[in-house]
């Protein structure tokens, strides 16, 4: 009889990693980790499963992984699927357990936090800050009675973990998300990382700060009533920082939208879009108008925007976000 295999399939950003940390701290499992850069979102489509296999999928659009999901279910695997991105029609299947909520003010780790009744809530707070869910994160901080220093530690850690997931390829990343997950799994409470001066914590923060300092030289591509579009160079640091810098811009100017374009080695652009914080919707609609685009209402991206589509992107950006 074939041995049952366990697979954990998760986004390589703060939300995906922290969602899995909560689950595996609560329910330890020797599983095969399937992950990659933040924008590698069709991970379930790569999986080959058989009868009885157990698959956990976190922070990946069900719509983008529909063929892989149906293939796994047809093969007889059991699938637990938790996410907050556009799902499309959710299959009705006895072997599928889904926890999907596409509201603009939640993320996968917050859903897992509710699922586990707050058992590892500090990791959910880390994820919420990393995913720029500031209101939800602040509310949990207050509920837990954390002080200003603890709040800042969780916030900076979330941003740094999220930043680590950005890049065009895994070679751009300082830490592969699977290795980062395994290193963090040793800490049931993320506050212990700073208390113990954990090397992984110090390195994450230092990497993030060094790259963010370089964004001061970014070029302005377009500026309008809708928002600002910026361009970063074809450098690994720029690909790493594109998403978290987009979050920073959104937080600094919450009434307008922002897009960060990064030159790709093969031509074209990697694109991160942030809807206005004060009306957090439309980012996914904009990005899905382009072939490699997707995401959620407040934040979305395009993996490869051809150079000859830049003018159309600027026009669509203005149309999407002009009030």
């Amino acid at each position: 009889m074939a041995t049952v295999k366990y697979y954990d399939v998760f986004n390589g950003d703060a939300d995906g990693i922290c969602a899995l940390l909560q689950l595996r701290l609560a329910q330890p499992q020797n599983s095969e980790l399937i992950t990659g850069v933040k924008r590698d979102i069709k991970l379930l489509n790569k999986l080959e499963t058989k009868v009885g296999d157990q698959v956990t999928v976190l922070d990946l659009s069900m719509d983008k992984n529909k063929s892989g999901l149906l293939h796994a279910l047809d093969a007889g695997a059991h699938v637990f699927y938790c996410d907050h991105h556009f799902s499309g029609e959710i299959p009705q299947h006895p072997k599928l357990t889904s926890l999907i909520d596409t509201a603009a003010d939640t993320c996968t780790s917050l859903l897992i936090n509710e699922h586990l009744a707050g058992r590892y809530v500090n990791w959910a707070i880390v994820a919420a800050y990393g995913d720029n869910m500031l209101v939800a994160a602040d509310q949990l901080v207050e509920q837990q009675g954390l002080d200003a220093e603890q709040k800042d530690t969780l916030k900076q850690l979330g941003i740094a973990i999220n930043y680590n997931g950005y890049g065009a390829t895994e070679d751009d990343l300082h830490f592969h998300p699977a290795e980062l997950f395994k290193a963090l799994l040793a800490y049931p409470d993320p506050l212990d990382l700073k208390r113990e001066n954990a090397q992984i914590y110090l390195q994450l923060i230092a990497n993030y700060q060094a790259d963010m300092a370089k964004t001061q030289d970014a070029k302005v591509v377009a500026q309008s009533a809708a928002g600002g579009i910026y361009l970063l160079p074809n450098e690994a640091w720029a690909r790493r920082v594109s998403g978290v810098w987009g979050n920073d811009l959104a937080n600094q100017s919450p009434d307008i939208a922002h897009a960060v374009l990064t030159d790709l080695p093969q031509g074209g652009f990697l694109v991160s879009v942030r809807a206005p914080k004060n009306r957090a919707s439309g980012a996914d609609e904009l990005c899905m108008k382009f072939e490699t685009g997707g995401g959620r209402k407040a934040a979305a991206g395009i993996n490869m925007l051809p150079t000859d589509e830049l003018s159309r992107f600027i026009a669509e950006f203005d149309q999407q976000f002009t009030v």
Side-chain angles (χ1 to χ4, degrees), residues 6 10 18 23 50 61 75 85 108 137 139 142 149 158-159 207 217 240 242 244 287:
Y6 294 82
F10 60 104
C18 292
L23 271 182
K50 63 183 184 308
S61 165
H85 300 91
T108 305
Q139 288 174 345
E142 185 173 350
E149 182 181 354
I159 292 170
N207 292 341
D217 299 325
R240 288 193 297 265
S242 60
V244 290
C287 291

Side-chain angles (χ1 to χ4, degrees), residues 131-146:
D131 222 19
N132 211 32
M133 302 285 175
L134 304 185
V135 173
D138 287 346
Q139 288 174 345
L140 284 178
V141 165
E142 185 173 350
Q143 289 172 16
Q144 295 304 115
L146 302 179

Side-chain angles (χ1 to χ4, degrees), residues 70-131:
L70 294 175
H71 182 73
L73 294 171
D74 288 344
H78 297 263
V79 181
F80 173 75
Y81 207 120
C82 182
D83 185 49
H84 65 128
H85 300 91
F86 176 72
S87 65
E89 185 176 351
I90 300 175
Q92 300 301 306
H93 195 285
K95 294 186 184 300
L96 172 64
T97 301
S98 61
L99 184 56
I100 307 292
D101 187 343
T102 61
D105 59 351
T106 194
C107 63
T108 305
S109 284
L110 292 174
L111 297 175
I112 293 296
N113 180 59
E114 293 176 9
H115 178 66
L116 296 176
R119 190 167 171 188
Y120 297 98
V121 63
N122 283 357
W123 278 118
I125 294 171
V126 168
Y129 279 127
D131 222 19

